[in-house]
Amino acid sequence: MKISVAYIASTALCTTYRRSLSHHSINKVTSLRFTSYRKTVNMHSITAAFKPDASGAPPKQLEYIPSLKLSDGHEIPMLGYGLGTANYKTGADKGKFNQKVVDDTAMAIKAGYFHLDGAESYGNEEELGAAIKKAGVPRDKLFVTTKTNCKQGESIETAFVRSLEKLGLDYVDLYLIHRPFWAKSPAEQQAKWAEMEAIKESGRAKSIGVSNYLQEHLEPILQTAKHPPVINQIEYHPYLQHGGLLDFHKQHKIAVAAYGPLTAVTKAKPGSCDAIYDQLAKKYGVTEGDIALRWCLDQGIVTLTTSGNEQRLQGYMRKIPSFKLTPKEVEDIAEAGKQKHFRGFYTTNYGPDDRR
């Protein structure tokens, strides 16, 4: 059998690459997961020039979950691991260190979730920092978010320094104002946003944004902002689509991040989306949870989930890149969702029929 010189050169190159990969990574499994998750340019694909951005354009089907380019040029992985909900500390637990949160979060990082969404109000920034150390993934390969509550009488600077100390980090990739309800006037919103801009300009937060804001909360900020919010993290699922808010985001190049994307298959069952979720799960050979997450991603929305189940997290990372909903399927889910209204968070701030 004849072996060409080109074949020998190709084999040698592959061997060198594998050795290099092994040498420069924590382990082969984590390295390959990282490559699959964070890679944003595939030079051997017709999709090489494609990058999702804040325009809301749906990502193309790729063999990995892409990152989304924010309006300030930074990139955010489109699937993230949230430390709220099940990991949220309440009552007497607030002052106690929770090793399970550390273990679950480190497990998620090792499963390929390098976008980590935290907040001071979750009470577990210290655990998030410990999980980052335990997982051993280099800091520059992670995307870390935390949020401020805007406590009365406290500056953003004070809150931010405290968060960095608990996280054990020199900077975060994204810093958010967690909710707008503390402000008594548009002027207060504008003043706090100026403090956020100072944090960004210091380099200790690469990007800044908001969470749980409606158009009426965003408009005052946009009137005076030197650095507009790059993202708004909101509860988003078929039963809470927020009317024209997403169109407003697109007009102002504000990306959307969804928390609670699994609500229609968990908290809000039975509901008008049950049948279509079941139908599509069977069609694509995936779970209803996969369909729920894909529905958000296929709208160009950064999507957050959480679980202490390693198999489930690995399943999302493996299955979600393997299929893509058609535009009609995305619209069919949206239309089915409009037949029911369900809000899982901040229910005391809105009326029972308020769908904003």
Side-chain angles (χ1 to χ4, degrees), residues 5 16 30 165 175 322:
V5 174
T16 302
T30 300
E165 288 175 351
Y175 194 45
S322 72

Side-chain angles (χ1 to χ4, degrees), residues 40-293:
T40 56
V41 177
N42 180 356
M43 295 307 295
H44 303 290
S45 166
I46 59 172
T47 62
F50 176 78
K51 284 182 184 290
D53 58 29
S55 68
K60 296 181 184 297
Q61 184 174 347
L62 305 169
E63 75 271 17
Y64 56 89
I65 298 170
S67 292
L68 180 143
K69 190 172 184 179
L70 299 167
S71 61
D72 64 1
H74 294 297
E75 294 184 357
I76 181 171
M78 289 194 73
L79 186 63
Y81 180 81
L83 279 89
T85 317
N87 295 316
Y88 190 102
K89 289 184 185 177
T90 58
D93 291 334
K94 282 189 174 182
K96 299 177 182 176
F97 187 84
N98 189 331
Q99 186 61 41
K100 186 177 185 305
V101 174
V102 177
D103 296 341
D104 287 351
T105 306
M107 174 267 293
I109 296 171
K110 291 176 181 179
Y113 291 78
F114 295 151
H115 173 182
L116 306 167
D117 183 76
E120 67 172 327
S121 68
Y122 300 162
N124 53 28
E125 287 176 310
E126 189 177 351
E127 285 87 344
L128 173 54
I132 290 170
K133 290 178 183 176
K134 180 177 180 179
V137 173
R139 172 67 184 93
D140 63 355
K141 302 193 186 306
L142 300 175
F143 189 100
V144 181
T145 300
T146 195
K147 311 176 189 76
T148 177
N149 288 334
C150 288
K151 295 177 183 176
Q152 287 287 2
E154 181 177 82
S155 69
I156 296 281
E157 174 68 20
T158 298
F160 184 69
V161 168
R162 183 171 61 240
S163 287
L164 284 185
E165 288 175 351
K166 288 183 178 181
L167 290 165
L169 301 176
D170 296 324
Y171 72 94
V172 295
D173 298 274
L174 180 62
Y175 194 45
L176 306 179
I177 295 180
H178 205 155
R179 54 186 71 85
F181 311 118
W182 51 269
K184 296 181 176 64
S185 69
E188 280 191 274
Q189 292 274 19
Q190 293 167 343
K192 282 296 181 186
W193 188 251
E195 294 183 51
M196 292 287 286
E197 291 175 321
I199 298 291
K200 176 179 172 59
E201 289 170 358
S202 75
R204 293 170 296 159
K206 291 187 176 181
S207 299
I208 52 175
V210 295
S211 181
N212 299 298
Y213 274 49
L214 299 181
Q215 180 174 337
E216 65 194 58
H217 307 123
L218 287 165
E219 285 175 336
I221 291 176
L222 294 173
Q223 288 172 6
T224 59
K226 293 184 294 181
H227 304 286
V230 298
I231 199 165
N232 185 13
Q233 186 185 122
I234 56 176
E235 179 183 352
Y236 186 79
H237 47 78
Y239 301 147
L240 186 60
Q241 298 182 50
H242 298 280
L245 182 59
L246 266 64
D247 286 336
F248 181 81
H249 285 144
K250 291 174 187 177
Q251 292 168 18
H252 294 277
K253 298 181 180 179
I254 300 171
V256 179
Y259 68 83
L262 298 173
T263 296
V265 297
T266 54
K267 295 180 179 179
K269 271 184 170 279
S272 52
C273 284
D274 293 356
I276 190 168
Y277 272 144
D278 178 65
Q279 171 196 337
L280 292 173
K282 289 175 179 174
K283 172 183 174 179
Y284 290 108
V286 297
T287 68
E288 292 185 11
D290 296 323
I291 298 296
L293 296 176

